[in-house]
Amino acid sequence: MTSHLPLSSDHWHPPRPSPVHRWPAEWKLLGTAILLLGTALQPGLNLAWFAPVWAGLIAVACLGKIPFTFILRRVLWLSPLIAGVALAAAWRPSNHPGWQILTIKSVTSLCAVILMANTTPFPHVLRVLKRLRTPHLLVTTIALLHRYLFVLASETERMQRARAARTFQPRPDRLWQLQASVIARLFIRASERATRIYQAMLARGWS
């Protein structure tokens, strides 16, 4: 069995839109922003805040028909970031929140963002940003970034299939070397594609 890089921008799509999917995007974005801000401002493990938040996230996941295993996989893919935050917190003075608190905050915030992203179509998010008078250039940049995440994910899958078709199962001690090779080639192809896209945009009047 081949190993896959954790690079994927796919979303969970239930067979039928859930009630959460039908909620206005403004409500979901506002709720997520309040949750992120409130979680960041908590000085410690305040159960008066975290207990309702966790209960709300579980309820949204159930109403949105998003499997907990799907959320867990997304959190695990971002676990190096969480580990980095926890490691940095471990070296702070004792009067700062401990690494355990920051880990809980990070996981809570990630779960909220994952739920919002998988229950809100991305064009709706862009429309909300436009209504909030976000600079047009920033909105366009976000839209292009989202679009080409799918391109990178597809390119990665093709490279992995090609590698699997040409090689046997790699030894465990060579797995990271092969993964690093895939990442390096993906970076080169992404850079070349970005150059072509930039030239095409210039030819169409972008500046």
PDB file of all heavy atoms in Angstrom, residues 65-89:
ATOM      1  N   LYS A  65     -24.015  16.424   9.532  1.00  0.00           N
ATOM      2  CA  LYS A  65     -23.743  15.080   9.015  1.00  0.00           C
ATOM      3  C   LYS A  65     -22.281  14.933   8.596  1.00  0.00           C
ATOM      4  O   LYS A  65     -21.958  14.324   7.571  1.00  0.00           O
ATOM      5  CB  LYS A  65     -24.662  14.759   7.833  1.00  0.00           C
ATOM      6  CG  LYS A  65     -26.144  14.840   8.176  1.00  0.00           C
ATOM      7  CD  LYS A  65     -27.018  14.590   6.962  1.00  0.00           C
ATOM      8  CE  LYS A  65     -28.491  14.722   7.311  1.00  0.00           C
ATOM      9  NZ  LYS A  65     -29.375  14.531   6.133  1.00  0.00           N
ATOM     10  N   ILE A  66     -21.394  15.518   9.402  1.00  0.00           N
ATOM     11  CA  ILE A  66     -19.960  15.419   9.142  1.00  0.00           C
ATOM     12  C   ILE A  66     -19.380  14.388  10.100  1.00  0.00           C
ATOM     13  O   ILE A  66     -19.445  14.576  11.320  1.00  0.00           O
ATOM     14  CB  ILE A  66     -19.269  16.779   9.332  1.00  0.00           C
ATOM     15  CG1 ILE A  66     -19.868  17.802   8.370  1.00  0.00           C
ATOM     16  CG2 ILE A  66     -17.770  16.664   9.117  1.00  0.00           C
ATOM     17  CD1 ILE A  66     -19.293  19.191   8.520  1.00  0.00           C
ATOM     18  N   PRO A  67     -18.824  13.299   9.608  1.00  0.00           N
ATOM     19  CA  PRO A  67     -18.300  12.252  10.501  1.00  0.00           C
ATOM     20  C   PRO A  67     -17.164  12.777  11.374  1.00  0.00           C
ATOM     21  O   PRO A  67     -16.346  13.588  10.944  1.00  0.00           O
ATOM     22  CB  PRO A  67     -17.804  11.171   9.530  1.00  0.00           C
ATOM     23  CG  PRO A  67     -18.490  11.456   8.237  1.00  0.00           C
ATOM     24  CD  PRO A  67     -18.689  12.938   8.190  1.00  0.00           C
ATOM     25  N   PHE A  68     -17.122  12.280  12.588  1.00  0.00           N
ATOM     26  CA  PHE A  68     -16.048  12.689  13.492  1.00  0.00           C
ATOM     27  C   PHE A  68     -14.693  12.192  12.987  1.00  0.00           C
ATOM     28  O   PHE A  68     -13.666  12.825  13.244  1.00  0.00           O
ATOM     29  CB  PHE A  68     -16.321  12.159  14.900  1.00  0.00           C
ATOM     30  CG  PHE A  68     -17.516  12.797  15.554  1.00  0.00           C
ATOM     31  CD1 PHE A  68     -18.688  12.085  15.741  1.00  0.00           C
ATOM     32  CD2 PHE A  68     -17.468  14.118  15.968  1.00  0.00           C
ATOM     33  CE1 PHE A  68     -19.791  12.676  16.336  1.00  0.00           C
ATOM     34  CE2 PHE A  68     -18.564  14.722  16.571  1.00  0.00           C
ATOM     35  CZ  PHE A  68     -19.731  14.004  16.752  1.00  0.00           C
ATOM     36  N   THR A  69     -14.691  11.062  12.279  1.00  0.00           N
ATOM     37  CA  THR A  69     -13.424  10.569  11.734  1.00  0.00           C
ATOM     38  C   THR A  69     -12.862  11.526  10.687  1.00  0.00           C
ATOM     39  O   THR A  69     -11.645  11.693  10.574  1.00  0.00           O
ATOM     40  CB  THR A  69     -13.625   9.181  11.109  1.00  0.00           C
ATOM     41  OG1 THR A  69     -14.705   9.235  10.154  1.00  0.00           O
ATOM     42  CG2 THR A  69     -13.959   8.155  12.176  1.00  0.00           C
ATOM     43  N   PHE A  70     -13.750  12.151   9.921  1.00  0.00           N
ATOM     44  CA  PHE A  70     -13.307  13.136   8.929  1.00  0.00           C
ATOM     45  C   PHE A  70     -12.653  14.329   9.618  1.00  0.00           C
ATOM     46  O   PHE A  70     -11.583  14.797   9.206  1.00  0.00           O
ATOM     47  CB  PHE A  70     -14.513  13.589   8.101  1.00  0.00           C
ATOM     48  CG  PHE A  70     -14.211  14.682   7.116  1.00  0.00           C
ATOM     49  CD1 PHE A  70     -13.706  14.383   5.865  1.00  0.00           C
ATOM     50  CD2 PHE A  70     -14.432  16.012   7.443  1.00  0.00           C
ATOM     51  CE1 PHE A  70     -13.427  15.389   4.947  1.00  0.00           C
ATOM     52  CE2 PHE A  70     -14.162  17.018   6.543  1.00  0.00           C
ATOM     53  CZ  PHE A  70     -13.657  16.709   5.291  1.00  0.00           C
ATOM     54  N   ILE A  71     -13.284  14.822  10.678  1.00  0.00           N
ATOM     55  CA  ILE A  71     -12.715  15.954  11.420  1.00  0.00           C
ATOM     56  C   ILE A  71     -11.385  15.559  12.047  1.00  0.00           C
ATOM     57  O   ILE A  71     -10.416  16.332  12.023  1.00  0.00           O
ATOM     58  CB  ILE A  71     -13.711  16.429  12.495  1.00  0.00           C
ATOM     59  CG1 ILE A  71     -15.024  16.873  11.847  1.00  0.00           C
ATOM     60  CG2 ILE A  71     -13.114  17.562  13.321  1.00  0.00           C
ATOM     61  CD1 ILE A  71     -16.115  17.206  12.838  1.00  0.00           C
ATOM     62  N   LEU A  72     -11.326  14.352  12.591  1.00  0.00           N
ATOM     63  CA  LEU A  72     -10.089  13.895  13.230  1.00  0.00           C
ATOM     64  C   LEU A  72      -8.947  13.823  12.226  1.00  0.00           C
ATOM     65  O   LEU A  72      -7.811  14.216  12.534  1.00  0.00           O
ATOM     66  CB  LEU A  72     -10.320  12.527  13.875  1.00  0.00           C
ATOM     67  CG  LEU A  72      -9.107  11.891  14.565  1.00  0.00           C
ATOM     68  CD1 LEU A  72      -8.614  12.785  15.698  1.00  0.00           C
ATOM     69  CD2 LEU A  72      -9.450  10.507  15.092  1.00  0.00           C
ATOM     70  N   ARG A  73      -9.229  13.343  11.015  1.00  0.00           N
ATOM     71  CA  ARG A  73      -8.172  13.277   9.999  1.00  0.00           C
ATOM     72  C   ARG A  73      -7.654  14.666   9.659  1.00  0.00           C
ATOM     73  O   ARG A  73      -6.444  14.874   9.501  1.00  0.00           O
ATOM     74  CB  ARG A  73      -8.697  12.590   8.733  1.00  0.00           C
ATOM     75  CG  ARG A  73      -8.842  11.093   8.844  1.00  0.00           C
ATOM     76  CD  ARG A  73      -8.897  10.455   7.460  1.00  0.00           C
ATOM     77  NE  ARG A  73      -9.960  11.019   6.645  1.00  0.00           N
ATOM     78  CZ  ARG A  73     -11.197  10.541   6.598  1.00  0.00           C
ATOM     79  NH1 ARG A  73     -11.525   9.502   7.357  1.00  0.00           N
ATOM     80  NH2 ARG A  73     -12.105  11.091   5.818  1.00  0.00           N
ATOM     81  N   ARG A  74      -8.567  15.624   9.549  1.00  0.00           N
ATOM     82  CA  ARG A  74      -8.135  16.991   9.244  1.00  0.00           C
ATOM     83  C   ARG A  74      -7.266  17.554  10.369  1.00  0.00           C
ATOM     84  O   ARG A  74      -6.265  18.222  10.122  1.00  0.00           O
ATOM     85  CB  ARG A  74      -9.357  17.889   9.031  1.00  0.00           C
ATOM     86  CG  ARG A  74     -10.101  17.619   7.734  1.00  0.00           C
ATOM     87  CD  ARG A  74      -9.224  18.014   6.557  1.00  0.00           C
ATOM     88  NE  ARG A  74      -9.923  17.866   5.293  1.00  0.00           N
ATOM     89  CZ  ARG A  74      -9.940  16.775   4.566  1.00  0.00           C
ATOM     90  NH1 ARG A  74      -9.305  15.698   4.998  1.00  0.00           N
ATOM     91  NH2 ARG A  74     -10.577  16.728   3.416  1.00  0.00           N
ATOM     92  N   VAL A  75      -7.653  17.282  11.606  1.00  0.00           N
ATOM     93  CA  VAL A  75      -6.864  17.777  12.739  1.00  0.00           C
ATOM     94  C   VAL A  75      -5.490  17.104  12.760  1.00  0.00           C
ATOM     95  O   VAL A  75      -4.469  17.752  13.013  1.00  0.00           O
ATOM     96  CB  VAL A  75      -7.618  17.541  14.059  1.00  0.00           C
ATOM     97  CG1 VAL A  75      -6.731  17.874  15.258  1.00  0.00           C
ATOM     98  CG2 VAL A  75      -8.885  18.392  14.107  1.00  0.00           C
ATOM     99  N   LEU A  76      -5.454  15.808  12.461  1.00  0.00           N
ATOM    100  CA  LEU A  76      -4.176  15.099  12.454  1.00  0.00           C
ATOM    101  C   LEU A  76      -3.261  15.621  11.359  1.00  0.00           C
ATOM    102  O   LEU A  76      -2.039  15.673  11.534  1.00  0.00           O
ATOM    103  CB  LEU A  76      -4.411  13.596  12.284  1.00  0.00           C
ATOM    104  CG  LEU A  76      -5.031  12.880  13.489  1.00  0.00           C
ATOM    105  CD1 LEU A  76      -5.275  11.407  13.168  1.00  0.00           C
ATOM    106  CD2 LEU A  76      -4.130  13.011  14.712  1.00  0.00           C
ATOM    107  N   TRP A  77      -3.820  16.003  10.223  1.00  0.00           N
ATOM    108  CA  TRP A  77      -2.992  16.559   9.153  1.00  0.00           C
ATOM    109  C   TRP A  77      -2.322  17.854   9.588  1.00  0.00           C
ATOM    110  O   TRP A  77      -1.223  18.177   9.136  1.00  0.00           O
ATOM    111  CB  TRP A  77      -3.847  16.812   7.912  1.00  0.00           C
ATOM    112  CG  TRP A  77      -4.194  15.558   7.173  1.00  0.00           C
ATOM    113  CD1 TRP A  77      -3.774  14.286   7.458  1.00  0.00           C
ATOM    114  CD2 TRP A  77      -5.038  15.448   6.032  1.00  0.00           C
ATOM    115  NE1 TRP A  77      -4.314  13.393   6.572  1.00  0.00           N
ATOM    116  CE2 TRP A  77      -5.089  14.074   5.683  1.00  0.00           C
ATOM    117  CE3 TRP A  77      -5.753  16.367   5.276  1.00  0.00           C
ATOM    118  CZ2 TRP A  77      -5.827  13.611   4.605  1.00  0.00           C
ATOM    119  CZ3 TRP A  77      -6.492  15.901   4.202  1.00  0.00           C
ATOM    120  CH2 TRP A  77      -6.527  14.541   3.873  1.00  0.00           C
ATOM    121  N   LEU A  78      -2.997  18.587  10.463  1.00  0.00           N
ATOM    122  CA  LEU A  78      -2.440  19.850  10.957  1.00  0.00           C
ATOM    123  C   LEU A  78      -1.751  19.683  12.305  1.00  0.00           C
ATOM    124  O   LEU A  78      -1.393  20.677  12.936  1.00  0.00           O
ATOM    125  CB  LEU A  78      -3.557  20.891  11.073  1.00  0.00           C
ATOM    126  CG  LEU A  78      -4.186  21.314   9.742  1.00  0.00           C
ATOM    127  CD1 LEU A  78      -5.422  22.163   9.988  1.00  0.00           C
ATOM    128  CD2 LEU A  78      -3.184  22.072   8.891  1.00  0.00           C
ATOM    129  N   SER A  79      -1.573  18.450  12.736  1.00  0.00           N
ATOM    130  CA  SER A  79      -0.945  18.216  14.040  1.00  0.00           C
ATOM    131  C   SER A  79       0.476  18.768  14.142  1.00  0.00           C
ATOM    132  O   SER A  79       0.880  19.192  15.233  1.00  0.00           O
ATOM    133  CB  SER A  79      -0.962  16.718  14.370  1.00  0.00           C
ATOM    134  OG  SER A  79      -0.281  15.978  13.367  1.00  0.00           O
ATOM    135  N   PRO A  80       1.284  18.796  13.059  1.00  0.00           N
ATOM    136  CA  PRO A  80       2.606  19.429  13.209  1.00  0.00           C
ATOM    137  C   PRO A  80       2.516  20.894  13.628  1.00  0.00           C
ATOM    138  O   PRO A  80       3.341  21.370  14.415  1.00  0.00           O
ATOM    139  CB  PRO A  80       3.226  19.280  11.815  1.00  0.00           C
ATOM    140  CG  PRO A  80       2.569  18.072  11.238  1.00  0.00           C
ATOM    141  CD  PRO A  80       1.156  18.127  11.747  1.00  0.00           C
ATOM    142  N   LEU A  81       1.512  21.605  13.115  1.00  0.00           N
ATOM    143  CA  LEU A  81       1.330  22.999  13.522  1.00  0.00           C
ATOM    144  C   LEU A  81       0.967  23.090  14.999  1.00  0.00           C
ATOM    145  O   LEU A  81       1.500  23.927  15.740  1.00  0.00           O
ATOM    146  CB  LEU A  81       0.244  23.650  12.664  1.00  0.00           C
ATOM    147  CG  LEU A  81      -0.123  25.096  13.000  1.00  0.00           C
ATOM    148  CD1 LEU A  81       1.080  26.011  12.812  1.00  0.00           C
ATOM    149  CD2 LEU A  81      -1.283  25.561  12.135  1.00  0.00           C
ATOM    150  N   ILE A  82       0.074  22.208  15.436  1.00  0.00           N
ATOM    151  CA  ILE A  82      -0.312  22.194  16.845  1.00  0.00           C
ATOM    152  C   ILE A  82       0.886  21.842  17.719  1.00  0.00           C
ATOM    153  O   ILE A  82       1.110  22.445  18.776  1.00  0.00           O
ATOM    154  CB  ILE A  82      -1.468  21.198  17.067  1.00  0.00           C
ATOM    155  CG1 ILE A  82      -2.694  21.606  16.244  1.00  0.00           C
ATOM    156  CG2 ILE A  82      -1.833  21.097  18.538  1.00  0.00           C
ATOM    157  CD1 ILE A  82      -3.824  20.605  16.296  1.00  0.00           C
ATOM    158  N   ALA A  83       1.673  20.866  17.262  1.00  0.00           N
ATOM    159  CA  ALA A  83       2.856  20.473  18.031  1.00  0.00           C
ATOM    160  C   ALA A  83       3.854  21.623  18.129  1.00  0.00           C
ATOM    161  O   ALA A  83       4.492  21.819  19.169  1.00  0.00           O
ATOM    162  CB  ALA A  83       3.511  19.253  17.379  1.00  0.00           C
ATOM    163  N   GLY A  84       3.982  22.394  17.047  1.00  0.00           N
ATOM    164  CA  GLY A  84       4.884  23.545  17.089  1.00  0.00           C
ATOM    165  C   GLY A  84       4.437  24.589  18.095  1.00  0.00           C
ATOM    166  O   GLY A  84       5.256  25.151  18.836  1.00  0.00           O
ATOM    167  N   VAL A  85       3.124  24.843  18.132  1.00  0.00           N
ATOM    168  CA  VAL A  85       2.593  25.801  19.106  1.00  0.00           C
ATOM    169  C   VAL A  85       2.817  25.298  20.531  1.00  0.00           C
ATOM    170  O   VAL A  85       3.230  26.053  21.426  1.00  0.00           O
ATOM    171  CB  VAL A  85       1.094  26.044  18.845  1.00  0.00           C
ATOM    172  CG1 VAL A  85       0.475  26.876  19.959  1.00  0.00           C
ATOM    173  CG2 VAL A  85       0.894  26.736  17.501  1.00  0.00           C
ATOM    174  N   ALA A  86       2.558  24.006  20.742  1.00  0.00           N
ATOM    175  CA  ALA A  86       2.744  23.440  22.079  1.00  0.00           C
ATOM    176  C   ALA A  86       4.212  23.470  22.495  1.00  0.00           C
ATOM    177  O   ALA A  86       4.539  23.766  23.651  1.00  0.00           O
ATOM    178  CB  ALA A  86       2.213  22.005  22.105  1.00  0.00           C
ATOM    179  N   LEU A  87       5.108  23.184  21.553  1.00  0.00           N
ATOM    180  CA  LEU A  87       6.533  23.193  21.876  1.00  0.00           C
ATOM    181  C   LEU A  87       7.010  24.596  22.223  1.00  0.00           C
ATOM    182  O   LEU A  87       7.791  24.790  23.162  1.00  0.00           O
ATOM    183  CB  LEU A  87       7.333  22.637  20.699  1.00  0.00           C
ATOM    184  CG  LEU A  87       8.841  22.488  20.902  1.00  0.00           C
ATOM    185  CD1 LEU A  87       9.122  21.516  22.042  1.00  0.00           C
ATOM    186  CD2 LEU A  87       9.517  22.016  19.622  1.00  0.00           C
ATOM    187  N   ALA A  88       6.521  25.587  21.463  1.00  0.00           N
ATOM    188  CA  ALA A  88       6.898  26.967  21.770  1.00  0.00           C
ATOM    189  C   ALA A  88       6.372  27.388  23.138  1.00  0.00           C
ATOM    190  O   ALA A  88       7.049  28.106  23.887  1.00  0.00           O
ATOM    191  CB  ALA A  88       6.370  27.900  20.683  1.00  0.00           C
ATOM    192  N   ALA A  89       5.165  26.922  23.479  1.00  0.00           N
ATOM    193  CA  ALA A  89       4.590  27.283  24.779  1.00  0.00           C
ATOM    194  C   ALA A  89       5.336  26.623  25.928  1.00  0.00           C
ATOM    195  O   ALA A  89       5.393  27.166  27.036  1.00  0.00           O
ATOM    196  CB  ALA A  89       3.120  26.884  24.815  1.00  0.00           C
TER     197      ALA A  89
END
